[in-house]
Amino acid sequence: MTKDDLYPYMTECAAEAARVARGVAAAQLGDPTHCPDWDVRALVNHWVLYTSYGLEHRALRKHLPEELTTRDFTADPGWAAAYAAQLDRAVAAWADPAVWEGEVDLGTAALPAAELASMIIKEMAVHGWDVATATGQEYHVSEGAARLVLDVVETHGDLYRQYDGFADPVPVPDDAPVFDRALASSGRNPRQGAPADR
């Protein structure tokens, strides 16, 4: 896939992530989620780190500094607005066609930039759904974005499971909506929020 294929979905999923973040109440940060051992605060911190700061740093071909990897973003009462602003910066960094060329060094491996971008879009959507589900919200995604997420989940599912990124697939009807199939393939129950790994 190319920038023309992926960038609209990156923009869409970033906007939806920002919307869901604004719907998280401070009182919900200590609530449980369907991700084992993660409350809403831990889930949000993971989501914010990799889908906004991680997205921008990958575009700039920079590694995430340790200070960011240990930060509690939710300690700032305005974290949702800060997340939205960081998402805007990250998406803007990927507006440059040159960013989509070549590979991105992840430290332990390198991936084509477009492939990595698709994986981060998946993170935005799947963890956006996780956060929305844990906080009583709905997550909205277009059919095209849902198909992209399903493709990424099915292509890289075994790799994610090796690192406890996904639980085992959850059965869903063959005619289930595309995004439900993507969630189920990643080990999430799209109807009940059943247990899933990170």
Side-chain angles (χ1 to χ4, degrees), residues 4 13 24-25 50 62 83 95 116 127 132 134 139 147 154-155 168 171-172 174-175 181:
D4 290 344
C13 290
V24 178
Y50 290 104
K62 294 181 178 179
Y83 177 43
L116 179 62
H127 285 315
Y139 184 84
R147 289 191 182 283
E154 291 184 339
T155 299
D168 291 334
V172 291
D174 292 340
D175 61 351
R181 286 160 48 203

Side-chain angles (χ1 to χ4, degrees), residues 126-153:
V126 170
H127 285 315
W129 179 87
D130 289 337
V131 174
T133 298
T135 57
Q137 302 182 68
E138 291 186 2
Y139 184 84
H140 305 289
V141 64
S142 70
E143 185 80 0
R147 289 191 182 283
L148 169 64
V149 173
L150 177 61
D151 180 66
V152 172
V153 169

Side-chain angles (χ1 to χ4, degrees), residues 167-176 180-181 183-192 194:
D168 291 334
V170 173
V172 291
D174 292 340
D175 61 351
D180 283 7
R181 286 160 48 203
L183 293 168
S185 187
S186 74
R188 291 158 171 81
N189 186 320
R191 296 303 176 197
Q192 300 175 5

Side-chain angles (χ1 to χ4, degrees), residues 55-177:
L55 184 63
E56 182 185 32
H57 279 69
R58 298 313 186 200
L60 301 175
R61 305 306 199 260
K62 294 181 178 179
H63 294 294
L64 282 167
E66 185 176 353
E67 182 275 326
L68 284 178
T69 65
T70 58
R71 182 187 297 180
D72 178 6
F73 299 101
T74 65
D76 175 4
W79 70 266
Y83 177 43
Q86 180 58 37
L87 280 168
D88 285 345
R89 285 190 289 273
V91 171
W94 283 87
D96 181 358
V99 169
W100 297 80
E101 298 175 1
E103 295 187 330
V104 178
D105 180 10
L106 303 177
T108 57
L111 284 176
E115 184 176 359
L116 179 62
S118 73
M119 295 170 77
I120 298 177
I121 295 168
K122 183 276 300 176
E123 288 281 293
M124 282 183 191
V126 170
H127 285 315
W129 179 87
D130 289 337
V131 174
T133 298
T135 57
Q137 302 182 68
E138 291 186 2
Y139 184 84
H140 305 289
V141 64
S142 70
E143 185 80 0
R147 289 191 182 283
L148 169 64
V149 173
L150 177 61
D151 180 66
V152 172
V153 169
E154 291 184 339
T155 299
H156 299 286
D158 289 343
L159 177 64
Y160 281 112
R161 274 183 275 276
Q162 284 179 24
Y163 295 97
D164 294 328
F166 288 168
D168 291 334
V170 173
V172 291
D174 292 340
D175 61 351

